[in-house]
Short mmCIF file of all heavy atoms in Angstrom, two decimals:
data_model
loop_
_atom_site.label_atom_id
_atom_site.label_comp_id
_atom_site.label_asym_id
_atom_site.label_seq_id
_atom_site.Cartn_x
_atom_site.Cartn_y
_atom_site.Cartn_z
N SER P 1 -6.16 9.81 -23.06
CA SER P 1 -7.23 10.73 -23.45
C SER P 1 -7.54 11.70 -22.31
O SER P 1 -7.04 11.55 -21.19
CB SER P 1 -8.49 9.93 -23.78
OG SER P 1 -8.97 9.27 -22.61
N GLU P 2 -8.39 12.69 -22.59
CA GLU P 2 -8.79 13.61 -21.53
C GLU P 2 -9.50 12.87 -20.41
O GLU P 2 -9.32 13.19 -19.23
CB GLU P 2 -9.71 14.70 -22.11
CG GLU P 2 -8.99 15.69 -23.02
CD GLU P 2 -9.91 16.82 -23.47
OE1 GLU P 2 -11.06 16.88 -22.99
OE2 GLU P 2 -9.47 17.63 -24.29
N GLY P 3 -10.28 11.85 -20.76
CA GLY P 3 -10.95 11.07 -19.74
C GLY P 3 -9.97 10.30 -18.88
O GLY P 3 -10.14 10.22 -17.65
N GLU P 4 -8.94 9.73 -19.50
CA GLU P 4 -7.93 9.01 -18.74
C GLU P 4 -7.14 9.96 -17.84
O GLU P 4 -6.80 9.61 -16.70
CB GLU P 4 -6.96 8.31 -19.70
CG GLU P 4 -7.48 7.01 -20.25
CD GLU P 4 -7.49 5.91 -19.20
OE1 GLU P 4 -6.44 5.29 -18.96
OE2 GLU P 4 -8.57 5.69 -18.60
N GLN P 5 -6.86 11.15 -18.33
CA GLN P 5 -6.15 12.12 -17.50
C GLN P 5 -7.00 12.55 -16.31
O GLN P 5 -6.50 12.75 -15.19
CB GLN P 5 -5.75 13.33 -18.34
CG GLN P 5 -4.71 13.01 -19.41
CD GLN P 5 -4.39 14.19 -20.29
OE1 GLN P 5 -4.15 15.29 -19.80
NE2 GLN P 5 -4.41 13.99 -21.60
N ALA P 6 -8.29 12.70 -16.52
CA ALA P 6 -9.19 13.04 -15.42
C ALA P 6 -9.26 11.88 -14.42
O ALA P 6 -9.24 12.09 -13.20
CB ALA P 6 -10.59 13.38 -15.95
N PHE P 7 -9.34 10.67 -14.93
CA PHE P 7 -9.37 9.48 -14.07
C PHE P 7 -8.13 9.42 -13.19
O PHE P 7 -8.22 9.20 -11.97
CB PHE P 7 -9.47 8.23 -14.93
CG PHE P 7 -9.09 6.96 -14.22
CD1 PHE P 7 -9.93 6.40 -13.28
CD2 PHE P 7 -7.88 6.32 -14.51
CE1 PHE P 7 -9.57 5.22 -12.61
CE2 PHE P 7 -7.52 5.15 -13.87
CZ PHE P 7 -8.37 4.60 -12.91
N ARG P 8 -6.96 9.62 -13.78
CA ARG P 8 -5.73 9.48 -13.00
C ARG P 8 -5.60 10.58 -11.95
O ARG P 8 -4.96 10.37 -10.92
CB ARG P 8 -4.52 9.45 -13.93
CG ARG P 8 -4.04 10.81 -14.43
CD ARG P 8 -3.00 10.67 -15.51
NE ARG P 8 -2.38 11.94 -15.85
CZ ARG P 8 -1.75 12.19 -16.99
NH1 ARG P 8 -1.68 11.24 -17.92
NH2 ARG P 8 -1.20 13.36 -17.21
N ARG P 9 -6.20 11.74 -12.20
CA ARG P 9 -6.10 12.82 -11.21
C ARG P 9 -6.71 12.39 -9.88
O ARG P 9 -6.13 12.65 -8.82
CB ARG P 9 -6.82 14.07 -11.75
CG ARG P 9 -6.92 15.21 -10.74
CD ARG P 9 -5.57 15.84 -10.44
NE ARG P 9 -5.69 16.88 -9.43
CZ ARG P 9 -5.44 16.69 -8.14
NH1 ARG P 9 -5.03 15.51 -7.69
NH2 ARG P 9 -5.56 17.68 -7.28
N LEU P 10 -7.85 11.71 -9.92
CA LEU P 10 -8.47 11.24 -8.69
C LEU P 10 -7.92 9.89 -8.27
O LEU P 10 -7.62 9.66 -7.08
CB LEU P 10 -9.99 11.15 -8.88
CG LEU P 10 -10.78 10.57 -7.69
CD1 LEU P 10 -10.57 11.43 -6.44
CD2 LEU P 10 -12.26 10.48 -8.03
N ALA P 11 -7.76 8.98 -9.21
CA ALA P 11 -7.36 7.62 -8.88
C ALA P 11 -5.97 7.56 -8.26
O ALA P 11 -5.71 6.72 -7.39
CB ALA P 11 -7.42 6.73 -10.12
N THR P 12 -5.07 8.43 -8.68
CA THR P 12 -3.73 8.44 -8.08
C THR P 12 -3.81 8.78 -6.60
O THR P 12 -3.15 8.16 -5.77
CB THR P 12 -2.82 9.43 -8.81
OG1 THR P 12 -2.75 9.10 -10.19
CG2 THR P 12 -1.41 9.42 -8.23
N ALA P 13 -4.64 9.76 -6.27
CA ALA P 13 -4.76 10.17 -4.87
C ALA P 13 -5.38 9.06 -4.02
O ALA P 13 -4.86 8.74 -2.94
CB ALA P 13 -5.58 11.45 -4.77
N VAL P 14 -6.48 8.48 -4.48
CA VAL P 14 -7.13 7.47 -3.65
C VAL P 14 -6.28 6.21 -3.54
O VAL P 14 -6.24 5.55 -2.48
CB VAL P 14 -8.55 7.15 -4.15
CG1 VAL P 14 -9.43 8.39 -4.13
CG2 VAL P 14 -8.55 6.51 -5.52
N ALA P 15 -5.55 5.86 -4.60
CA ALA P 15 -4.66 4.70 -4.54
C ALA P 15 -3.48 4.98 -3.62
O ALA P 15 -3.07 4.10 -2.83
CB ALA P 15 -4.17 4.34 -5.94
N LYS P 16 -2.91 6.17 -3.71
CA LYS P 16 -1.82 6.55 -2.80
C LYS P 16 -2.28 6.45 -1.36
O LYS P 16 -1.55 5.95 -0.48
CB LYS P 16 -1.36 7.98 -3.12
CG LYS P 16 -0.45 8.64 -2.08
CD LYS P 16 0.94 8.05 -2.04
CE LYS P 16 1.92 8.93 -1.28
NZ LYS P 16 1.73 8.95 0.18
N PHE P 17 -3.49 6.91 -1.06
CA PHE P 17 -4.00 6.85 0.29
C PHE P 17 -4.14 5.40 0.76
O PHE P 17 -3.57 5.01 1.78
CB PHE P 17 -5.36 7.55 0.37
CG PHE P 17 -5.99 7.50 1.73
CD1 PHE P 17 -5.68 8.44 2.69
CD2 PHE P 17 -6.88 6.48 2.06
CE1 PHE P 17 -6.24 8.38 3.96
CE2 PHE P 17 -7.45 6.41 3.33
CZ PHE P 17 -7.13 7.37 4.27
N GLN P 18 -4.88 4.60 0.04
CA GLN P 18 -5.25 3.27 0.51
C GLN P 18 -4.11 2.27 0.41
O GLN P 18 -3.80 1.57 1.39
CB GLN P 18 -6.46 2.76 -0.27
CG GLN P 18 -6.92 1.37 0.12
CD GLN P 18 -7.57 1.31 1.49
OE1 GLN P 18 -7.77 2.35 2.12
NE2 GLN P 18 -7.90 0.13 1.95
N VAL P 19 -3.50 2.16 -0.74
CA VAL P 19 -2.45 1.14 -0.92
C VAL P 19 -1.29 1.40 0.04
O VAL P 19 -0.80 0.48 0.71
CB VAL P 19 -1.98 1.11 -2.38
CG1 VAL P 19 -0.76 0.20 -2.53
CG2 VAL P 19 -3.09 0.66 -3.31
N CYS P 20 -0.85 2.66 0.11
CA CYS P 20 0.30 2.96 0.96
C CYS P 20 -0.04 2.84 2.44
O CYS P 20 0.82 2.48 3.25
CB CYS P 20 0.85 4.34 0.63
SG CYS P 20 1.47 4.48 -1.06
N LYS P 21 -1.28 3.14 2.81
CA LYS P 21 -1.71 2.95 4.19
C LYS P 21 -1.71 1.48 4.59
O LYS P 21 -1.44 1.13 5.74
CB LYS P 21 -3.11 3.53 4.40
CG LYS P 21 -3.17 5.03 4.58
CD LYS P 21 -2.62 5.42 5.93
CE LYS P 21 -2.72 6.92 6.16
NZ LYS P 21 -1.93 7.33 7.33
N ARG P 22 -2.02 0.61 3.66
CA ARG P 22 -2.09 -0.82 3.95
C ARG P 22 -0.70 -1.47 3.98
O ARG P 22 -0.55 -2.58 4.48
CB ARG P 22 -2.95 -1.53 2.90
CG ARG P 22 -4.41 -1.09 2.89
CD ARG P 22 -5.17 -1.67 4.05
NE ARG P 22 -5.48 -3.07 3.84
CZ ARG P 22 -6.05 -3.86 4.76
NH1 ARG P 22 -6.32 -3.38 5.95
NH2 ARG P 22 -6.31 -5.13 4.49
N GLY P 23 0.30 -0.78 3.47
CA GLY P 23 1.63 -1.36 3.36
C GLY P 23 2.26 -1.79 4.66
O GLY P 23 2.76 -2.92 4.78
N PRO P 24 2.33 -0.91 5.68
CA PRO P 24 3.03 -1.30 6.91
C PRO P 24 2.41 -2.51 7.62
O PRO P 24 3.14 -3.41 8.05
CB PRO P 24 2.92 -0.03 7.78
CG PRO P 24 2.79 1.09 6.80
CD PRO P 24 1.97 0.52 5.68
N GLU P 25 1.10 -2.54 7.75
CA GLU P 25 0.45 -3.68 8.40
C GLU P 25 0.66 -4.95 7.59
O GLU P 25 0.86 -6.04 8.15
CB GLU P 25 -1.04 -3.41 8.60
CG GLU P 25 -1.74 -4.50 9.37
CD GLU P 25 -3.23 -4.26 9.52
OE1 GLU P 25 -3.74 -3.25 9.00
OE2 GLU P 25 -3.89 -5.10 10.16
N HIS P 26 0.61 -4.82 6.29
CA HIS P 26 0.84 -5.97 5.41
C HIS P 26 2.24 -6.53 5.65
O HIS P 26 2.43 -7.75 5.77
CB HIS P 26 0.67 -5.53 3.96
CG HIS P 26 0.70 -6.63 2.96
ND1 HIS P 26 1.88 -7.15 2.47
CD2 HIS P 26 -0.30 -7.32 2.34
CE1 HIS P 26 1.60 -8.10 1.58
NE2 HIS P 26 0.29 -8.23 1.49
N ALA P 27 3.23 -5.64 5.73
CA ALA P 27 4.61 -6.09 5.96
C ALA P 27 4.75 -6.78 7.31
O ALA P 27 5.45 -7.80 7.44
CB ALA P 27 5.56 -4.90 5.87
N TYR P 28 4.09 -6.22 8.31
CA TYR P 28 4.18 -6.85 9.64
C TYR P 28 3.59 -8.25 9.64
O TYR P 28 4.18 -9.20 10.17
CB TYR P 28 3.46 -6.02 10.71
CG TYR P 28 3.12 -6.88 11.89
CD1 TYR P 28 4.14 -7.34 12.72
CD2 TYR P 28 1.83 -7.34 12.10
CE1 TYR P 28 3.87 -8.22 13.75
CE2 TYR P 28 1.55 -8.22 13.12
CZ TYR P 28 2.57 -8.65 13.96
OH TYR P 28 2.30 -9.55 14.96
N GLU P 29 2.41 -8.42 9.03
CA GLU P 29 1.75 -9.72 9.06
C GLU P 29 2.58 -10.76 8.32
O GLU P 29 2.67 -11.93 8.74
CB GLU P 29 0.35 -9.62 8.46
CG GLU P 29 -0.56 -10.76 8.81
CD GLU P 29 -0.98 -10.79 10.27
OE1 GLU P 29 -1.53 -9.78 10.75
OE2 GLU P 29 -0.75 -11.83 10.93
N ALA P 30 3.20 -10.36 7.21
CA ALA P 30 4.07 -11.28 6.48
C ALA P 30 5.29 -11.63 7.31
O ALA P 30 5.73 -12.79 7.33
CB ALA P 30 4.48 -10.65 5.15
N LEU P 31 5.85 -10.63 7.98
CA LEU P 31 7.00 -10.88 8.86
C LEU P 31 6.66 -11.92 9.92
O LEU P 31 7.44 -12.83 10.21
CB LEU P 31 7.42 -9.55 9.50
CG LEU P 31 8.60 -9.50 10.46
CD1 LEU P 31 9.18 -8.08 10.45
CD2 LEU P 31 8.20 -9.86 11.89
N GLU P 32 5.46 -11.82 10.48
CA GLU P 32 5.05 -12.76 11.53
C GLU P 32 4.96 -14.19 11.00
O GLU P 32 5.16 -15.15 11.74
CB GLU P 32 3.72 -12.32 12.13
CG GLU P 32 3.29 -13.15 13.33
CD GLU P 32 2.00 -12.68 13.95
OE1 GLU P 32 1.91 -11.48 14.30
OE2 GLU P 32 1.07 -13.50 14.06
N CYS P 33 4.65 -14.33 9.71
CA CYS P 33 4.57 -15.67 9.12
C CYS P 33 5.91 -16.40 9.22
O CYS P 33 5.95 -17.64 9.27
CB CYS P 33 4.15 -15.60 7.66
SG CYS P 33 2.45 -15.05 7.40
N LEU P 34 7.00 -15.67 9.24
CA LEU P 34 8.33 -16.25 9.36
C LEU P 34 8.75 -16.47 10.81
O LEU P 34 9.85 -16.95 11.07
CB LEU P 34 9.37 -15.38 8.66
CG LEU P 34 9.57 -15.59 7.15
CD1 LEU P 34 8.32 -15.23 6.38
CD2 LEU P 34 10.74 -14.77 6.64
N GLY P 35 7.90 -16.10 11.75
CA GLY P 35 8.22 -16.26 13.16
C GLY P 35 9.42 -15.44 13.56
O GLY P 35 9.62 -14.31 13.11
N GLY P 36 10.27 -16.01 14.43
CA GLY P 36 11.43 -15.28 14.92
C GLY P 36 12.39 -14.91 13.81
O GLY P 36 13.05 -13.86 13.87
N ASN P 37 12.51 -15.76 12.77
CA ASN P 37 13.40 -15.43 11.65
C ASN P 37 12.99 -14.11 11.01
O ASN P 37 13.84 -13.30 10.60
CB ASN P 37 13.36 -16.54 10.60
CG ASN P 37 14.18 -17.75 11.01
OD1 ASN P 37 14.88 -17.73 12.01
ND2 ASN P 37 14.09 -18.82 10.24
N GLY P 38 11.70 -13.87 10.89
CA GLY P 38 11.23 -12.65 10.26
C GLY P 38 11.65 -11.40 11.00
O GLY P 38 11.80 -10.34 10.39
N TYR P 39 11.88 -11.52 12.30
CA TYR P 39 12.23 -10.35 13.11
C TYR P 39 13.73 -10.08 13.14
O TYR P 39 14.18 -9.13 13.74
CB TYR P 39 11.71 -10.56 14.54
CG TYR P 39 11.60 -9.29 15.34
CD1 TYR P 39 10.68 -8.31 15.00
CD2 TYR P 39 12.42 -9.07 16.45
CE1 TYR P 39 10.58 -7.13 15.74
CE2 TYR P 39 12.33 -7.91 17.19
CZ TYR P 39 11.41 -6.94 16.83
OH TYR P 39 11.30 -5.78 17.56
N THR P 40 14.50 -10.91 12.44
CA THR P 40 15.94 -10.71 12.41
C THR P 40 16.36 -10.02 11.12
O THR P 40 15.70 -10.14 10.09
CB THR P 40 16.69 -12.06 12.53
OG1 THR P 40 16.47 -12.83 11.33
CG2 THR P 40 16.20 -12.85 13.74
N GLU P 41 17.49 -9.36 11.19
CA GLU P 41 18.00 -8.63 10.03
C GLU P 41 18.60 -9.56 8.98
O GLU P 41 18.95 -9.11 7.89
CB GLU P 41 19.04 -7.61 10.47
CG GLU P 41 18.49 -6.50 11.36
CD GLU P 41 17.47 -5.62 10.67
OE1 GLU P 41 17.48 -5.54 9.43
OE2 GLU P 41 16.64 -5.02 11.37
#
């Protein structure tokens, strides 16, 4: 609907900002859970 299209116009931007910003730190913390294995290819 027009309301849903208006919602996505703003929500896409704020989600892109926050979710993608949180991605790298999230990956690092998960990597650390595996210890030295996590740091290997």
Side-chain angles (χ1 to χ4, degrees):
S1 65
E2 290 185 6
E4 280 287 278
Q5 293 177 48
F7 162 74
R8 80 190 189 201
R9 173 69 183 97
L10 176 60
T12 303
V14 300
K16 167 71 165 72
F17 178 86
Q18 179 70 5
V19 172
C20 297
K21 280 288 182 193
R22 296 285 284 173
E25 184 182 1
H26 188 276
Y28 159 71
E29 198 69 56
L31 180 155
E32 187 178 305
C33 292
L34 275 64
N37 283 353
Y39 199 67
T40 69
E41 295 296 336

